[in-house]
Structure formats: structure tokens, C-alpha cells
Amino acid sequence: MENPVTYIEVAVPLPVFNTYTYAVPESMRALIAPGLQVLVPFGRRKLIGYILGPGSADGIPKIREIIDVLDESAVFPAAMLPFFQWMAAYYLHPIGEVICEALPGGISKKKKAVTGPKTERYAAPIPDAVVAAPLTEARQAVMDALTSGGGMAVRELAKIVPSAHRQVQALADKGLVVVSDRPVYRDPFGDPVPPDVPHKLNPEQYRAVSTVVGAMGAGFAVFLLAGVTGSGKTEVYMQAAAEAVRRDTAVLVLVPEIALVSETERRFRARFGDDVAVLHSGLSAGERYDQWVRIRCGQSRVVIGARSAIFAPLTDIGLIIVDEEHDTSYKQESRFRYNARDMAVVRARQAGAVVLLGSATPSVQSVYNVLSGKFCELNLKRRIHRQAMPEIHIEDLRKQKESRGIWRFITPALHLAMKETLERGEQVLLFLNRRGYATWPVCAGCGQAVKCRHCDVTLILHQGAGVYKCHQCGYAIKSNVACATCGSNAIKRLGMGTEKIEHAVKALFPEARVARMDRDTVARKGALLEILKGLRHREIDVLIGTQMVAKGHDFPGITLVGIICADLSLSFPDFRAGELTFQVLAQVAGRAGRGDRPGRVVLQTYNPEHFTIAAARDQDFMTFYRQEIGFRQTFQYPPFARMIQLKISGRDPEKTREFAENVGALCRKLQGRATGPHGTGPLGNKTALAGSDLSEQVEILGPIEAPLSRIAGQYRWQILLKSTRSDQLHRLARQLIFDNGAAISSRHVSLAVDVDPFFMM
Ligand code: ADP
Ligand code: ZN
Ligand code: ZN
């Protein structure tokens, strides 16, 4: 039968909000389906586009034909289209670019340029084959290896019998073995992972698993699993996942983006073996492609990965797990700005699946959703092996003001605790969320800080590298330069970074073996692994690190955690500063005493009375939440309001300012015009009526210069749109972007739309 579809709707990966109708030549009609890539003429170019569905020719004067159909089967399941469409609408992002972001690198390139799955020779013995004559020694050895293993890759066989390639062929000719080419999947894991078996759940875990399992198959539901570090959350994830797999549904597990394979990923791998596919940015394009194909063809029904794994081409998802749901790496901050934690909820809602969000320090947003009845709370209050939570002492850094040099940052209490810990042969972790040596180099002659040429920030002295470096744009100059303002050579090395702490610790404890873990020391491939192994094998006594140490890795031997200065992020001009500070402090503190010895934490701060510090000391996110939520309500910040930030940047300061002001004026004009019903908002809210109630209107803040007013030569401005009504907010933003394209586009200035922004500086 002839395919009746003559026209198709195609999305192209360009910054355009339209989709396009193309005609399908008769010869190709049988080949098309939603989710396939097609080659289309676009202006004078040829582009790869994605088939969304049947198209309409109504009112379109001249419809062009597609040039080619590029796939035999859809690169993503057609069932994912509504998800892409939802994201495009909610994030005000072109659908073609959403799909392009979703697909692994290799797939979107020219068809033949991609690396397909590799194959390898595989030999298997033919059961009951009759051996007519005695075999040579080498052939017999091959047969023995094959019969004991039931089959082997010839490459592996060659390690036992060097001439295996030849012998296998000879044995195949005799009808004793079959040889075939099997696809091999490049395994992103280095070490083989020993398998493990499920633990017998404790009563709290049992309650959590059975509640989640009880909800499976009964439609969309979201659970927030709050459990201190070491309370057995991962075991809950794995047993819920096993049940979902048993019911023939797929499982998606999101983990924070970290360097190297996370502990959670390793354990899923150990439990589920080959059922697991992994997707994260550490994979090469070829590896990502392989994993994608495995998922797409249903070979892997459990997918684990960072943010971008939200796009995994799974069908029939039954369960989505988001580990460390508070983690900011779920938010993408470039190109297409989306939040994978939030999209996990959306994807599950569309699939009628269950979501399990887990954290020791849940986000304010998720706790709010629990208290308002949207999410259901599950708790793990005790550590598995009943280890006590670490004892946390607060030390007031203000008392050190009169001290000199490093003693301003190593209090007597921390010094003593380090000494005792090292004398017992145990390990110490020191945390400071700033890398480099001196973070505030200032000229003694004129008082000017050493600044970046391209950014509105101070350069950081990296002593080992002998440079001042910009942490925003990477610009670096030799550290022996004179002051740019007065020419003086006396630059004071003020401000504390991990490198300075490392020097100090080496001076204070000359016997101790000291290592540093931050973006500078792990830049070299393999360096992080060395540090982790060093810790495990007790070749490191003191580890100094940035927030890299707070995530993902287990340090069982650490019994003392010193937080050098808890306040660094507390004063950021960001309404989430308190939340982020609480989370990182509680997470770092939770690194102490995870093995069989009890842990201690010395938390140094200039703000000992601050509720964020007190809540971190008590490891109690509800104490934090109760205080924080009042502040959010008073100032109408999320979760009480929704926000969209317009990020404006350009090389010319005047043009950028002028553009920002024009966009601001346009926003105000649209705000004044807010009228009438406008259908359903992308969140599925009810139809909005004109907001006569002021509190429901969209508030427009700015344009203002961004707190970081210049980065990499780009002048930066921002406008914040804020409303308690998501539908109103989105309507205004849509009018701004879709109906005023000309007014908001400029050759000199760019405008990015950030829905539910995180990084507001
Ligand atoms: P979390 O993810 O909450 O930090 P984990 O899942 O890592 O906690 O559990 C901590 C440790 O306890 C792990 O070594 C894990 O293997 C072990 N564990 C978890 N559940 C059980 C259980 N029911 N019985 C015994 N050991 C368990
Ligand atoms: Zn100077
Ligand atoms: Zn810079």
C-alpha cells in the first residue's frame, strides 16, 4: 500500500522558531516516519532536519522536496516528540535545536561520517559436533577454551593460543565451531566491576522501596527520598529499579556531572551488569553513539548518566531516579538552558511513570513541593551501620583577626584536631571552595587589585604555575609583572586559595603526605584517579580540596573534615546563596566518618550565628528550610514566584546598554498590554485571565548591569521577569520573543533566555 503522507513537518537545528513543511518524493514515501533524519534544502544550503510528523501544505505557496532520508529507523522514539515539544515551549527554545541537543554527537553528522558500532570475531563451539580425528595441540587448546566458556571473542582466545585466528578458521572448516562478527560496545569503564547482590533492606529502606514499588504502574507520582549520607539511598534506588525492570519497564537514573565515574554509577553497574548503559560528557563521541544505539534498540533498559541522559531514547519508562537532586549540575548553563531534574518530572508525567528524587540536602523547591502536596516524602533517618553522624564544632574566625598569616585561617582548634588525627594515622580533609594561591592580589603601592583585561574580576595568583589567572575567561599573565596602575613591584598576596592552604599544611606538618584536589591538579588525565587511589591506599594523609571533594566519591578513611572558611558563598548576590552554602557544607561535613571510625568536623566561619551555619552544623535541612522559606516568601523568590532572566551581552558597552534598555522598554510595553485569555500555559495551567490583581502580574526588574559586568570582553546586562503566575510570565516572554523577533535581534548584541535561572551573576 502506498504511504499517503505527501507532506511532512520538519524541524531544523537553527535558531528559528518555525518548523517547515516539505514534500516527500514518491520514491521515499515508504521510508519516512517521525524521528527520522532527512536531508532538506534550506535557502541555498542543505541541512539535516528531523521529521516531526505529517505536514500541512495549506497556505504555503512553494513547497520544496526533501533530498534524502538519512536513517532506516528513527534515531529517537516518536514517543519522545511531545517531550521535545514541551521543552521547546517551556524554555522558549527552537525545537530543532532541542532535538539536536538531545542526540549524541555522531548521529547528527553526515551519515557516513559517523562511527558505527564496531564488530569483532567471535567463536562458539557447535554442540555435539563429532571430532573425527585427533586435533593438533593448538586446536585442542582452542576447543577446550571454547567449550569451557561457551564461546569467546577470538581476540581473547589469542591471549591463550597465539595462533587462535588461524586455528579458529580451521576448526570452522571442520564444522566444529561457528565464527561470527559480533558488535562490540566500547566500554567506558576501565576496571572490570565485580558483581554485587542486593542487601536485605532495613525497615526504613523497606518502607521506602515498597512505597515506590506500590506506586509503579499506577500513573505519575513523585517521591522525595531524604536521607543522610550513608543511610542507604543507593540501595533503595537499585531495588526500586530492579522491580521496574522486572515489570518490563525502563529505568533512567540521573547523577550529578562529576569527573570520573561516580560511586552511584559504579554500583548500578555492579548490580545490573550489561543491562546498564551510561551517558555522560566523559564519553567520546563514538562511545556515546554506541551507548545510544544500545538504548535505542532496547538492549539496555537501565540508563545512568549525567544531565544529558534525560534525553535517553528509552521507551516505556517506568521509573526515573534523580540522585542528589539538589545538585546544580542538573542545570545546563549554555546553548540550551534546561534543568534535567525538572525535566525528569515532566518526562515521567508524560510517560505516566514514577520519579524518585533523592538527597541528603534536598532543594528548597522540592521540600516545598512535598509540603504543598505535589511530591510525597520518604525518609531514611539513620545511617546503615548505625555510625553516628559526625560531631561538628564551630570555630569563630573573627577571633583570629589579630593572628598573622596562615594562623588567621587555621584556628588552634583545627590545628590540634589535625595533629591528633594524623598521630592516630587517620586521614584529614580540608575544604576551601576557592582554588589558587592568593585570590586577592593587591598592589602595596596604590592599593589596586590585579585585574583581568577582559573581565570585571580580580586575577588569582597561581604560584606553582607562576601566573595570575582569570577564572572567568582563562586569561593569564606572568606573576612577576609590575602593577599596571603605578608600576610598583610590591604586590601583596592577599586572599586564601587551596594552593596557599597546601603550602601552609606542608609547613605545619612536614611529615604529612599532602595532596590537593581542585580543577588545577586534576586537569591532567589520570590525575584524579591517582589522588583517589592514594587516599584509598593510605598514601595521602591530608587532602585539600574545593567542592570537587563534596560530590560523588567515597573517602572511607577520613575522620576529620576541616572547613577552612564556610562563608565564601554566603554573600553572593544570588537568592540561592544560603541554600548552596548549606548544601555544600552539609555535604562536605558528611564526608567525615563514613568508615568504621567516628568522624569530626571543624567548621570555621565569620558568621557563627547565621542560621545557614547552624543548620549545616545540625545536618538538618528542615531547620534550614524553615528559616529560608520565610525569606523567599517575603521577597517573592522561587518557589513562590517563577522567573525568566534575559541575559544580554555584547562587545560594545554602549550598544549593549542601549539594546538592553530597548528590550526593557519593550517588556514594559507588553506588560501594559497584558490582555485576555491565552490558552494553556506550557505547565498545563488553566487558562489565564488578564491579571488585574497586581500580585499576579509580571514584574520586570532591570535592565541592570550584571554583577559580573564583563566576561571575556563581553559586556553583560540582565532583565529579570518575575511572576507568581507561570502562565502570565510565559505569555509575556513568548510575545517578546516570537512576536518581536526584529526588535530583539541585533548583529552586535546577543540575547539569551534563561527560564528558571540558577546562575544569576
Ligand atoms: P547513601 O547512598 O545514602 O549515601 P549507601 O547506599 O551508599 O548510602 O549505603 C551506605 C553503605 O551501606 C553502602 O556501603 C551500602 O552497600 C551499605 N548498605 C546499604 N543498604 C544496606 C543494607 N540494607 N544492609 C547492609 N548494608 C547496606
Ligand atoms: Zn599599584
Ligand atoms: Zn578574564
Side-chain angles (χ1 to χ4, degrees), residues 427 531-540 543 555 558:
Q427 291 172 311
I531 295 174
L532 294 174
K533 282 186 178 154
L535 277 169
R536 187 143 301 179
H537 300 145
R538 303 281 181 146
E539 291 153 10
I540 293 172
L543 179 70
F555 308 126
I558 285 172

Side-chain angles (χ1 to χ4, degrees), residues 692-703:
S692 51
D693 180 354
L694 273 182
S695 71
E696 295 196 344
Q697 279 183 1
V698 179
E699 207 183 326
I700 297 166
L701 303 165

Side-chain angles (χ1 to χ4, degrees), residues 383 385 387-388 554-559 591-599:
R383 285 182 153 182
H385 303 299
Q387 306 105 312
D554 241 358
F555 308 126
I558 285 172
T559 56
R591 301 282 127 189
R594 301 208 46 177
D596 39 20
R597 307 246 182 112

Side-chain angles (χ1 to χ4, degrees), residues 140-457:
Q140 190 57 51
V142 167
M143 279 311 284
D144 291 346
L146 288 180
T147 31
S148 66
M152 267 173 106
V154 178
R155 190 172 42 81
E156 290 299 316
L157 266 179
K159 291 179 188 162
I160 306 168
V161 183
S163 60
H165 284 277
R166 232 178 327 118
Q167 311 304 351
V168 161
Q169 198 49 55
L171 291 166
D173 293 343
K174 289 181 186 294
L176 296 176
V177 304
V178 293
V179 185
S180 59
D181 286 327
R182 284 198 173 184
V184 282
Y185 299 105
R186 277 151 279 179
D187 192 331
F189 293 86
D191 293 335
V193 191
D196 93 339
V197 288
H199 287 287
K200 185 170 179 322
L201 299 175
N202 70 22
E204 281 187 321
Q205 288 175 313
Y206 181 81
R207 205 172 323 122
V209 172
S210 51
T211 309
V212 172
V213 165
M216 285 178 189
F220 169 64
V222 186
F223 295 93
L224 176 66
L225 176 65
V228 294
T229 48
S231 60
K233 293 185 294 296
T234 313
E235 189 64 37
V236 170
Y237 302 155
M238 291 194 293
Q239 298 211 12
E243 178 60 22
V245 170
R246 210 183 56 76
R247 294 174 182 217
D248 235 356
T249 59
V251 178
L252 177 57
V253 186
L254 299 183
V255 292
E257 182 83 64
I258 59 162
L260 273 189
V261 174
S262 77
E263 191 57 23
T264 311
E265 202 172 308
R266 197 188 60 77
R267 286 168 60 188
F268 263 83
R269 181 75 176 183
R271 184 71 54 87
F272 293 90
D274 279 347
D275 274 353
V276 183
V278 294
L279 287 174
H280 55 66
S281 61
L283 305 184
S284 69
E287 287 166 339
R288 271 186 83 80
Y289 175 83
D290 287 352
Q291 297 289 327
W292 183 274
V293 170
R294 286 187 60 190
I295 301 163
R296 180 72 192 95
C297 60
Q299 280 181 20
S300 294
R301 298 289 281 161
V302 179
V303 174
I304 184 162
R307 177 174 73 222
S308 66
I310 189 63
F311 297 115
L314 289 165
T315 48
D316 300 317
I317 292 184
L319 175 65
I320 304 184
I321 294 164
V322 183
D323 187 25
E324 309 289 6
E325 64 89 27
H326 66 277
D327 196 278
T328 49
S329 74
Y330 289 122
K331 174 72 164 58
Q332 176 149 304
E333 293 291 356
S334 59
R335 299 189 307 270
F336 172 30
R337 295 163 194 270
Y338 66 94
N339 185 321
R341 192 260 328 260
D342 297 346
M343 289 309 100
V345 174
V346 170
R347 194 166 176 192
R349 188 172 64 205
Q350 292 187 343
V354 170
V355 183
L356 179 55
L357 307 174
S359 178
T361 53
S363 61
V364 167
Q365 178 75 53
S366 292
V367 176
Y368 179 79
N369 285 340
V370 166
L371 297 178
S372 57
K374 274 204 218 161
F375 296 178
C376 174
E377 188 179 12
L378 301 168
N379 275 296
L380 299 179
K381 295 214 188 292
R382 270 192 302 269
R383 285 182 153 182
I384 283 289
H385 303 299
R386 302 268 169 158
Q387 306 105 312
M389 293 301 289
E391 237 182 276
I392 303 185
H393 300 279
I394 293 189
E395 285 297 315
D396 189 345
L397 279 175
R398 289 174 303 189
K399 292 192 194 142
Q400 307 303 119
K401 282 238 164 83
E402 302 306 312
S403 305
R404 310 209 102 240
I406 192 65
W407 296 108
R408 295 168 71 125
F409 290 96
I410 306 241
T411 57
L414 176 58
H415 186 237
L416 181 63
M418 288 179 71
K419 194 161 162 281
E420 289 169 358
T421 308
L422 293 173
E423 276 167 8
R424 280 198 304 269
E426 295 169 9
Q427 291 172 311
V428 178
L429 172 66
L430 296 181
F431 168 75
L432 179 66
N433 213 356
R434 197 161 289 175
R435 68 199 162 90
Y437 189 87
T439 54
W440 189 254
V442 173
C443 172
C446 69
Q448 289 288 322
V450 182
K451 300 203 94 181
C452 179
R453 278 176 63 176
H454 310 287
C455 309
D456 180 27
V457 297

Side-chain angles (χ1 to χ4, degrees), residues 392-397 408-411 414 418 428-433 501 543 545 549-550 560-568 581-592 600-606 613 616-617 619:
I392 303 185
H393 300 279
I394 293 189
E395 285 297 315
D396 189 345
L397 279 175
R408 295 168 71 125
F409 290 96
I410 306 241
T411 57
L414 176 58
M418 288 179 71
V428 178
L429 172 66
L430 296 181
F431 168 75
L432 179 66
N433 213 356
I501 296 285
L543 179 70
V549 302
L560 173 67
V561 168
I563 295 171
I564 300 294
C565 180
D567 318 272
L568 288 182
T581 304
F582 166 74
Q583 286 162 351
V584 75
L585 294 181
Q587 297 278 348
V588 172
R591 301 282 127 189
R600 273 204 290 177
V601 179
V602 177
L603 188 161
Q604 307 186 138
T605 173
Y606 289 107
I613 304 291
R617 177 196 57 215
Q619 300 268 301

